[in-house]
Every structure is written in C-alpha cells, then in structure tokens.
Amino acid sequence: VVNLALLVDGRRPIGAKARRLPDSASVTFETWRDGPSGGSSSTEGGVQPGEGAVVCRNLADLDDYNSPGAPAALLKSCLLCCGIVSVAPGAPPLADQLRRAGGGLHVA
C-alpha cells in the first residue's frame, strides 16, 4: 500500500486502480491531464494506446520511472516499489515477470 498526502492541481487524493489482464504480457498505464473525461473513470472501457495510455512491453519501457516528467512516472514507480516487477540488472524479461505474477496489468 502506498499512501501520500499531496496536491495535484489543487486537488487530492491521488488514487489508482489496477486490474489484472491474464492474457497480456504488458502493463498499460492510463493517465489523465485534467481528470478522467466525463467525470467517470474510463478504466471500464479502457483507452487505446496513444489516447492517454503508456504501454510497457519490455523493461526498457520502465527505465524512466525515476524521471518526474516522464509519462506515468509515478505509476511506474509504484509498480516497482510494490515488487510486482523488477528492473534490476539481470532481472527476467517483463513478459516472464508478469506471467509469474498472473498476467499483465491495466493501471489507471
């Protein structure tokens, strides 16, 4: 569990929801600049890559987790801090790590 107390654009709390994608070997991070459109989360319908989504298919896609300006950096950091995947030298490929964890993820 990660718990923070901070404001983003004068609003709080920051939250995230994740769902397992058993048939996937990637992680999709869905982000919004001004909150989800229409006032409801689009995680039910999902987004297509390029429409507010960052899709990570290999460990190199997670390398910028420690760059605050990188797309989905906070969500990537949470994924790594929770120990779901590792980018440590010698870590298995992302697809293998996700397979062992039960499949891919959609995080929003």
Side-chain angles (χ1 to χ4, degrees), residues 36-100:
S37 59
S40 65
S41 173
S42 62
T43 57
E44 294 170 19
V47 295
Q48 298 302 314
E51 296 179 358
V54 175
V55 180
C56 299
R57 293 185 177 89
N58 56 57
L59 293 177
D61 294 336
L62 296 168
D63 279 345
D64 60 354
Y65 73 93
N66 59 356
S67 299
L74 182 58
L75 294 173
K76 291 176 183 179
S77 294
C78 290
L79 183 75
L80 296 170
C81 287
C82 289
I84 297 170
V85 297
S86 172
V87 293
L94 180 61
D96 292 348
Q97 293 184 56
L98 292 172
R99 199 171 300 111
R100 273 186 257 146

Side-chain angles (χ1 to χ4, degrees), residues 25-37:
S26 66
V27 179
T28 301
F29 298 105
E30 185 175 343
T31 60
W32 302 284
R33 180 174 288 290
D34 296 317
S37 59

Side-chain angles (χ1 to χ4, degrees), residues 12-31:
R12 75 181 121 162
I14 295 175
K17 294 181 181 182
R19 64 184 163 113
R20 178 75 56 199
L21 303 172
D23 298 328
S24 176
S26 66
V27 179
T28 301
F29 298 105
E30 185 175 343
T31 60

